[in-house]
Amino acid sequence: MTVLDTARDLLPDVPHAVCFDTVFHSGLPAGAREYAVPAGWRDAYGLRRYGFHGLSHAWALARTAQLLGRRPQQQHLVMVHLGGGCSACAVREGRRVDKAMGSTPLEVW
């Protein structure tokens, strides 16, 4: 049973939504996504760096583009999320190229 299933069981009259915070980082290049472990381990156990605060970084990228009068694809940024946790994300031409978190919020570059 998932967390969402449990929430629906406990609160059946409340609408539920799921927002995956790691999706923003899903298109990372291999060098930023892969751990330096044998490829067999990555394949067998699904080991990879995911990243966190994706919703915050996605908003910051869109808002920065809006404020500068540019499209997100024209942005080259290093964004920092400070608040309920801290992380950094490098963006080139609107695409994530690296980030400061991997499988846990404690991992850094």
Side-chain angles (χ1 to χ4, degrees), residues 69-107:
R70 300 179 185 165
R71 297 176 316 177
Q73 296 82 3
Q74 296 173 300
Q75 303 304 306
H76 304 285
L77 307 168
V78 174
M79 301 183 295
V80 179
H81 168 94
L82 302 173
C86 301
S87 68
C89 177
V91 173
R92 183 183 304 126
E93 296 176 351
R95 306 186 95 177
R96 280 66 59 209
V97 295
D98 211 343
K99 78 270 180 285
M101 292 184 167
S103 290
T104 74
L106 299 177
E107 182 181 337

Side-chain angles (χ1 to χ4, degrees), residues 5 8 11 20 23 27 33-35 40 42 47-48 51-52 55-57 72-73 76 79 81 86 89 96:
D5 293 331
R8 285 180 175 155
L11 303 165
F20 294 97
V23 171
R33 173 183 73 238
E34 295 178 352
Y35 285 108
R42 291 193 302 265
L47 297 175
R48 63 161 290 163
F52 295 88
L55 298 172
S56 174
H57 288 300
Q73 296 82 3
H76 304 285
M79 301 183 295
H81 168 94
C86 301
C89 177
R96 280 66 59 209

